[in-house]
C-alpha cells in the first residue's frame, strides 16, 4: 500500500490557528456542551458533535471570506470538546444526587476540568502509535467521516455533492423517523419472540434504533468489526436473556439486582437488571486484556517521548519534526500530569465530600489513583473508538470498572457510609470524563491526520475547548436539577426520634427554596415555607424510597417528597443511576458479582477463540437496538465490496470513496437533525407547555413497524446505490 499522504502536505502552511477559528469553536463548545447535558440526562444518550460542527463551520466561515480546511478543523476540534466533556459528566456526577448530595458548581467545574485535561494529555504520547502507525487498522469512523466532510467542503464538486446528498437524504429520513420531530413511523421497530405453550425465546427481543447515523457508522467501520459487535448483541439478547427467563419464570420473588419477579420482566428489564452487570464485567476484563496486549507499544511510545526530552547532549542530533508530526512535547505531558495530581489533591483536601474525611494520605492516594486509572482507560477508550466510533464506545462500562475497584478498596478500609460513595463517584467521574474526552480527542486527531493539520495546534485547541465548555456544563446541570424539580404531597406518619436505618436528618438546607410550591394528588398546589420542615435524606432505606423528604414537626408526619430534577421523569439520568447502583451495591455488599464474573469468563472464552474480545464485549454490553443497525451498515459495506470484486474493480487506496462520503453525510444528518429535535423539545417544555410543535397525525398508514423497516431498508439501499456510483473527477 502506498504511503499515506495528507490532504494538505506538510510543506504547506495555510491559516490554521486563527482567532476566528478558536472563537467560533468556543461558541460551538458552549452550545453543544449544554445540549449534550440536556439530551443525555433525558435519554442517557449523546449525539456526536464533530461532524455537525464541521458542516456549520464550513458554511459560517465561508460567509466571512474563504477559510482554509485547517481553520475549519480547529473549529470542530475546539467545539467538540464540549460534547465529550459533557458526556463524561452526565454519566457520573449526577449520581451524587442519587447518593443524597447536592450538585456544587465548583465541584463539577473542577472535576470536569481535571478529567478533560487528562484525556488530552494522555493522548499526546499515544497519537503516533494509534493514529499514525495503525492508520489502516483503526478506522476511527467519526474522525474519518469528519475529515471527508471537511475535504468535501474544501474541494467542492462531486465530493461535496456526495456528502451533502447523504446529508439531504439522511436529513429527510431523520425528520420523519426521529421521535422528537415528525415521528411519522416508529423510530425503533422491534419484535419480541414468544412461540408456543412453552414460550420459546420469550425474554429475547430483536429491535433496531433505525437511525441514519448508526447505518453510516456501520458502513465506515466495515463488515468484520460490525459483525463481531452484533455477535455480542445476539449472545446477550437471543441467548442469555431467554435463558434467564426460562430458568427464572417460576420464581415468585425478584432475583437481585432485579426489582420484580422475572416472569413479569420484559426484555428491556432483563437487559437493564442482568445483562448490564454482565456486560460491565466483560468490558472491564476485555479492556484489561487489551491493555496488557498493548503494553509493549505503549511503552515504546512513552520511551520515544521521553527520549525526545533529551535536549542536552543529543541536541545536535535532534531534528525538528515536520509540521504534521509536531506534537506537544513529552515534558508538557509529565509536568501537566504532576500539576493535575497536585490540583486533585488540593481539591480533595480543602473541598472534601461532606462526611468523607479521609486524611491527606488517602487524598494523595486518590489523586494518584485518578491518574493511573485515567491513563489505563484513556488508552483503552482511544482504541475502542478507533474500532466502533465514539457513539458506541462503552465509556460507562470502563467507569463501572473504576468504581468497582475504588469501592472495593473503600470496603476493605471500612468506608461504607454514603459520603464515601460520593468520594468514589468523584474519582470515577474524573476517569469517565478523561476516557470520554480521550475518545473524541482521538477522533479529532484522526481528522487532523487525514486533512494535514498540525497536532500541536490541535492539542492546544482541545485544552482551550475543555476550559470554555466546562464553564457552562455545571450551570446547565444545576439548571436542569432545579428547574425540573417538584414538591409532591406525601403524607406519612413518622417518628423522628426513632431509629430509621438509611434515613438521616440534614442540617444544611441552602439548596431548598425558601418558598415551596407543593403539588397535591388532585394537581392543586399550595405554598409553604421551608422553615416549617425538617429535611430528611433517605439512602438504602427499607421504609422510604431513595430521595429527600420534608418532615413537619407540627403534624409529626412526612408531608412532602422533594423530587429533584435529576432523577425525575423529565431527566431520569439512567447512566448516572447505574453508577450509584454499583457503588451502593459494593459498599452495602449487594453487587451481583456472579453476573460480573460471568462477563469476565465470557471474555476469556472469546479471547481463546482468537476473536478480539473487546469488540465482542462492546456488543454484549450495548443494546441490540444499537448493534443491529450498525451491523446493517456493515452488510451494505460487504455487498459493495463484493460487487466491486465481481466487477474487477481495484481497491481504492484513498480513504475517500463514494460510500464513505455518503455515509459521512448520513452520520452528519443524524447528528444535526437529532439536535434540532432536542432543541424543539426544549422549546416545547419551556414555552409551549409540552405541546408538540411538529404534530404529525397519529394512526395513519405510516404509523406501523413495517413502514419503519421498509424506510430503513430504502435508506440502506440508497447507501449501496451511491457507494457503487463512481465520483466525478
Amino acid at each position: 500500500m502506498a504511503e499515506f499522504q495528507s490532504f494538505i502536505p506538510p510543506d504547506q502552511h495555510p491559516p490554521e490557528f486563527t482567532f476566528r477559528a478558536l472563537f467560533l469553536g468556543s461558541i460551538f463548545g458552549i452550545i453543544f456542551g449544554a445540549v449534550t447535558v440536556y439530551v443525555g440526562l433525558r435519554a442517557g444518550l449523546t449525539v456526536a458533535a464533530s461532524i455537525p460542527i464541521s458542516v456549520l463551520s464550513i458554511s459560517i466561515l465561508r460567509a466571512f471570506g474563504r477559510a482554509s480546511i485547517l481553520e475549519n478543523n480547529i473549529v470542530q476540534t475546539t467545539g467538540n470538546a464540549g460534547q465529550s466533556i459533557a458526556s463524561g459528566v452526565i454519566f457520573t456526577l449526577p449520581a451524587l444526587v442519587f447518593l443524597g448530595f447536592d450538585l456544587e458548581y465548583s465541584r463539577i467545574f473542577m472535576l470536569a476540568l481535571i478529567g478533560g485535561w487528562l484525556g488530552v494529555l494522555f493522548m499526546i504520547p499515544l497519537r503516533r502509535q494509534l493514529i499514525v502507525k495503525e492508520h489502516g487498522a483503526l478506522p476511527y469512523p467519526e474522525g474519518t467521516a469528519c475529515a471527508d466532510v471537511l475535504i468535501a467542503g474544501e474541494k467542492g464538486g462531486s465530493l461535496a455533492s456526495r456528502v451533502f446528498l447523504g446529508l439531504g437524504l439522511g436529513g429527510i429520513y431523520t425528520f420523519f423517523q426521529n421521535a422528537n420531530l415528525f415521528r411519522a413511523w416508529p423510530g425503533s421497530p422491534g419484535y419480541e419472540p414468544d412461540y408456543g405453550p412453552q414460550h420459546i425465546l420469550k425474554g429475547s427481543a430483536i429491535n433496531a434504533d433505525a437511525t441514519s447515523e448508526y447505518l453510516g457508522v456501520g458502513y465506515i467501520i466495515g463488515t468484520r468489526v460490525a459483525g463481531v459487535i452484533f455477535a455480542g448483541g445476539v449472545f446477550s439478547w437471543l441467548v442469555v436473556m431467554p435463558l434467564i427467563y426460562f430458568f427464572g419464570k417460576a420464581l415468585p420473588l425478584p432475583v437481585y439486582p432485579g426489582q420484580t419477579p422475572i416472569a413479569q420482566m420484559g426484555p428491556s428489564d432483563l437487559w437493564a437488571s442482568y445483562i448490564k452487570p454482565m456486560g460491565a464485567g466483560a468490558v472491564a476484563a476485555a479492556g484489561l486484556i487489551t491493555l496488557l496486549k498493548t503494553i509493549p507499544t505503549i511503552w515504546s511510545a512513552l520511551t520515544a517521548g521521553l527520549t525526545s526530552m533529551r535536549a542536552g547532549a543529543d541536541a545536535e542530533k535532534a531534528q525538528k519534526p515536520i509540521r504534521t508530526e509536531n506534537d506537544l512535547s513529552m515534558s508538557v505531558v509529565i509536568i501537566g500530569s504532576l500539576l493535575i495530581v497536585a490540583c486533585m489533591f488540593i481539591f480533595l483536601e480543602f473541598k472534601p465530600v461532606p462526611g468523607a474525611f479521609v486524611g491527606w494520605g488517602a487524598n494523595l492516594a486518590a489523586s494518584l489513583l485518578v491518574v493511573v486509572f485515567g491513563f489505563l482507560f484513556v488508552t483503552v477508550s482511544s482504541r475502542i473508538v478507533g474500532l466502533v466510533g465514539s457513539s458506541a464506545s462503552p465509556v460507562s462500562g470502563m467507569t463501572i470498572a473504576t468504581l468497582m475497584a475504588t469501592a472495593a478498596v473503600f470496603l476493605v478500609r471500612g468506608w461504607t457510609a454514603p459520603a464515601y460513595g460520593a468520594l468514589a463517584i468523584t474519582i470515577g467521574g474524573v476517569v469517565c470524563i478523561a476516557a470520554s474526552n480521550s475518545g473524541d480527542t482521538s477522533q479529532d486527531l484522526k481528522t487532523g491526520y487525514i486533512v494535514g493539520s498540525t497536532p500541536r495546534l490541535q492539542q492546544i485547541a482541545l485544552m482551550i475547548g475543555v476550559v470554555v465548555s466546562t464553564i457552562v456544563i455545571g450551570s446547565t446541570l444545576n439548571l436542569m436539577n432545579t428547574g425540573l424539580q417538584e414538591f409532591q404531597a406525601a403524607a406519612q406518619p413518622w417518628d423522628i426520634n426513632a431509629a430509621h436505618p438509611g434515613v438521616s436528618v440534614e442540617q444544611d438546607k441552602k439548596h431548598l427554596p425558601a418558598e415551596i410550591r407543593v403539588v397535591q394528588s388532585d394537581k392543586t398546589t399550595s405554598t409553604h415555607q421551608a422553615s416549617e420542615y425538617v429535611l430528611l435524606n433517605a439512602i438504602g432505606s427499607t421504609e422510604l424510597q431513595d430521595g429527600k423528604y420534608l418532615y413537619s414537626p407540627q403534624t409529626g408526619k412526612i408531608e412532602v417528597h422533594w423530587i429533584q430534577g435529576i432523577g425525575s421523569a423529565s431527566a431520569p439520568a439512567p447512566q448516572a443511576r447505574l453508577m450509584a447502583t454499583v457503588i451502593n451495591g459494593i459498599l452495602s455488599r449487594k453487587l451481583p458479582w456472579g453476573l460480573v464474573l460471568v462477563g469476565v469468563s465470557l471474555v476469556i472464552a472469546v479471547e481463546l477463540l482468537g476473536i478480539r474480545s473487546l469488540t465482542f464485549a462492546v456488543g454484549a454490553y450495548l443494546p441490540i437496538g444499537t448493534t443491529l443497525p450498525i451491523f446493517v451498515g456493515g452488510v451494505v459495506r460487504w455487498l459493495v465490496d463484493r460487487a466491486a470484486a465481481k466487477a474487477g474493480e481495484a481497491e481504492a487506496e484513498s480513504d475517500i470513496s463514494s460510500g464513505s462520503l455518503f455515509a459521512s453525510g448520513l452520520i452528519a444528518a443524524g447528528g444535526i437533525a437529532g439536535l434540532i429535535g432536542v432543541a424543539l423539545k426544549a422549546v416545547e417544555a419551556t414555552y409551549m407547555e409540552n405541546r408538540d410543535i411538529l404534530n404529525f397525525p397519529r394512526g395513519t398508514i405510516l404509523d406501523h413497524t413495517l413502514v419503519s423497516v421498509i424506510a430503513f431498508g430504502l435508506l440502506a439501499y440508497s447507501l449501496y446505490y451511491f457507494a457503487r456510483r463512481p465520483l466525478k473527477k
Side-chain angles (χ1 to χ4, degrees):
M1 181 177 291
E3 184 179 354
F4 173 79
Q5 296 292 330
S6 59
F7 182 75
I8 300 296
D11 57 351
Q12 294 184 15
H13 297 80
E16 183 173 5
F17 199 73
T18 63
F19 173 78
R20 67 175 183 175
L22 286 174
F23 179 77
L24 186 59
S26 298
I27 296 298
F28 283 139
I30 291 173
I31 294 172
F32 280 80
V35 169
T36 301
V37 170
Y38 177 82
V39 69
L41 290 179
R42 289 177 62 89
L45 299 172
T46 58
V47 181
S50 59
I51 294 173
I53 290 175
S54 298
V55 174
L56 294 172
S57 175
I58 292 170
S59 301
I60 293 174
L61 290 185
R62 186 172 290 167
F64 294 94
R66 182 168 179 81
S68 74
I69 187 174
L70 301 189
E71 278 188 287
N72 285 315
N73 185 49
I74 288 295
V75 173
Q76 74 86 17
T77 298
T78 308
N80 195 35
Q83 179 266 332
S84 59
I85 298 297
S87 298
V89 168
I90 61 176
F91 285 169
T92 52
L93 298 188
L96 292 170
V97 174
F98 304 137
L99 294 172
F101 293 86
D102 296 319
L103 288 173
E104 299 176 281
Y105 177 84
S106 60
R107 188 175 303 278
I108 299 169
F109 176 85
M110 198 65 189
L111 297 180
L113 188 66
I114 291 173
W117 279 354
L118 272 180
V120 177
L121 285 174
F122 287 159
M123 261 307 298
I124 293 174
L126 298 174
R127 187 196 70 86
R128 186 179 298 273
Q129 177 64 37
L130 297 180
I131 306 298
V132 179
K133 292 186 178 180
E134 297 193 50
H135 176 62
L138 297 176
Y140 288 98
E142 285 96 345
T144 301
C146 186
D148 290 341
V149 170
L150 291 172
I151 292 172
E154 180 77 4
K155 297 182 70 172
S158 180
L159 289 177
S161 64
R162 193 57 54 91
V163 172
F164 290 111
L165 183 60
L167 182 64
L169 288 178
I172 294 172
Y173 170 85
T174 304
F175 263 87
F176 283 95
Q177 176 266 344
N178 192 286
N180 292 331
L181 297 167
F182 287 125
R183 54 185 177 189
W185 54 75
S188 300
Y191 174 66
E192 297 182 8
D194 184 4
Y195 304 118
Q198 296 183 4
H199 300 290
I200 299 172
L201 284 181
K202 185 173 175 58
S204 64
I206 302 173
N207 55 66
D209 189 4
T211 65
S212 63
E213 61 265 30
Y214 283 151
L215 182 67
V217 166
Y219 185 91
I220 289 176
I221 67 176
T223 305
R224 176 167 177 78
V225 175
V228 174
I229 291 174
F230 184 55
V234 169
F235 180 81
S236 292
W237 284 75
L238 299 179
V239 178
V240 178
M241 285 165 51
L243 284 175
I244 293 174
Y245 181 83
F246 179 79
F247 289 109
K249 62 185 177 182
L251 299 175
L253 298 176
V255 178
Y256 186 80
Q259 299 295 318
T260 57
I262 289 176
Q264 301 176 17
M265 285 186 168
S268 59
D269 301 319
L270 291 172
W271 175 76
S273 298
Y274 304 111
I275 298 301
K276 269 198 167 184
M278 185 194 76
V283 171
L288 182 60
I289 292 173
T290 301
L291 180 70
L292 293 175
K293 285 183 175 181
T294 56
I295 281 179
T297 58
I298 292 171
W299 179 253
S300 65
L302 290 174
T303 52
L306 290 170
T307 301
S308 67
M309 295 176 60
R310 298 174 182 173
D314 298 331
E316 68 277 6
K317 300 178 182 179
Q319 296 180 353
K320 185 178 180 180
I322 60 176
R323 182 184 62 79
T324 54
E325 292 296 327
N326 185 12
D327 292 279
L328 287 173
S329 67
M330 195 63 191
S331 60
V332 173
V333 178
I334 295 176
I335 295 173
S337 299
L338 292 175
L339 288 175
I340 285 175
V341 171
C343 289
M344 191 72 184
F345 171 75
I346 293 171
F347 180 75
L348 292 176
E349 187 72 15
F350 295 99
K351 186 72 173 176
V353 175
F357 303 102
V358 296
W360 70 268
N363 285 334
L364 180 59
S367 304
L368 294 172
L369 196 65
V370 162
V371 174
V372 171
F373 274 121
F375 179 73
L376 189 156
F377 287 122
V378 161
T379 305
V380 174
S381 176
S382 300
R383 187 169 289 273
I384 288 177
V385 300
L387 293 170
V388 302
S390 299
S391 300
S393 177
V395 173
S396 57
M398 293 182 281
T399 307
I400 289 172
T402 303
L403 293 177
M404 286 178 178
T406 305
V409 172
F410 288 3
L411 184 62
V412 172
R413 294 294 303 270
W415 298 344
T416 57
Y420 294 103
L423 181 59
I425 280 290
T426 297
I427 296 172
V430 173
V431 173
C432 180
I433 294 165
S436 175
N437 192 39
S438 69
D440 283 327
T441 295
S442 304
Q443 301 283 7
D444 294 336
L445 293 175
K446 181 73 167 186
T447 301
Y449 178 67
I450 294 173
V451 304
S453 182
T454 307
R456 179 177 59 85
L457 298 180
Q458 269 195 286
Q459 290 153 3
I460 295 173
L462 283 162
M463 302 289 273
I464 295 173
V466 168
V467 176
V468 173
S469 60
T470 300
I471 295 173
V472 73
I473 289 173
S475 301
T476 308
L477 201 63
N478 271 300
L479 179 63
M480 291 194 68
N481 192 42
T482 56
L484 298 175
Q485 69 184 2
E486 291 183 0
F487 295 90
Q488 294 184 355
Q492 178 176 346
W494 192 260
D495 185 0
I496 198 169
N497 296 315
H500 300 282
V503 181
S504 60
V505 176
E506 287 197 1
Q507 303 298 328
D508 186 3
K509 298 195 294 183
K510 64 181 180 180
H511 293 284
L512 185 64
E515 288 191 348
I516 301 169
R517 185 170 171 265
V518 180
V519 180
Q520 308 295 328
S521 57
D522 59 358
K523 302 302 181 182
T524 60
T525 61
S526 58
T527 303
H528 301 267
Q529 300 297 316
S531 57
E532 301 175 17
Y533 300 105
V534 175
L535 180 60
L536 304 180
N537 187 25
I539 299 292
S541 170
T542 58
E543 301 173 87
L544 299 173
Q545 293 182 359
D546 288 357
K548 296 190 176 184
Y549 298 83
L550 301 181
Y551 167 81
S552 173
Q554 295 181 349
T555 62
K557 295 180 180 180
I558 292 177
E559 294 191 344
V560 180
H561 183 193
W562 180 11
I563 302 176
Q564 300 195 57
I566 295 176
S568 67
S570 300
Q575 299 286 1
R577 175 74 74 176
L578 174 64
M579 304 305 169
T581 301
V582 169
I583 290 178
N584 276 331
I586 295 178
L587 297 184
S588 62
R589 298 175 177 85
K590 294 181 180 179
L591 187 73
W593 284 106
L595 293 173
V596 173
L597 294 178
V598 165
V600 173
S601 302
L602 173 65
V603 160
I604 294 174
V606 170
E607 194 70 32
L608 291 174
L609 290 173
I611 300 172
R612 282 190 174 185
S613 61
L614 186 57
T615 308
F616 185 88
V618 168
Y621 176 79
L622 292 172
I624 197 171
T626 299
T627 59
L628 178 53
I630 290 177
F631 176 66
V632 172
V635 170
V636 174
R637 176 67 174 269
W638 177 78
L639 292 172
V640 170
D641 292 343
R642 187 167 175 264
K646 281 188 175 182
E649 298 172 6
E651 183 179 356
E653 295 287 344
S654 173
D655 289 310
I656 303 174
S657 64
S658 299
S660 65
L661 288 171
F662 190 82
S664 301
L666 293 180
I667 297 173
I672 294 174
L675 289 172
I676 292 174
V678 170
L680 287 176
K681 284 301 171 186
V683 172
E684 291 171 9
T686 305
Y687 302 107
M688 307 289 292
E689 298 181 354
N690 290 313
R691 290 179 295 173
D692 288 335
I693 297 176
L694 301 178
N695 189 11
F696 198 87
R698 297 291 176 265
T700 66
I701 192 173
L702 296 178
D703 193 10
H704 195 279
T705 298
L706 182 60
V707 175
S708 177
V709 174
I710 293 174
F712 190 67
L714 290 175
L715 186 68
Y717 175 75
S718 72
L719 174 58
Y720 172 84
Y721 176 79
F722 287 109
R724 292 293 301 135
R725 294 196 64 175
L727 293 167
K728 296 179 181 179
K729 301 297 183 181

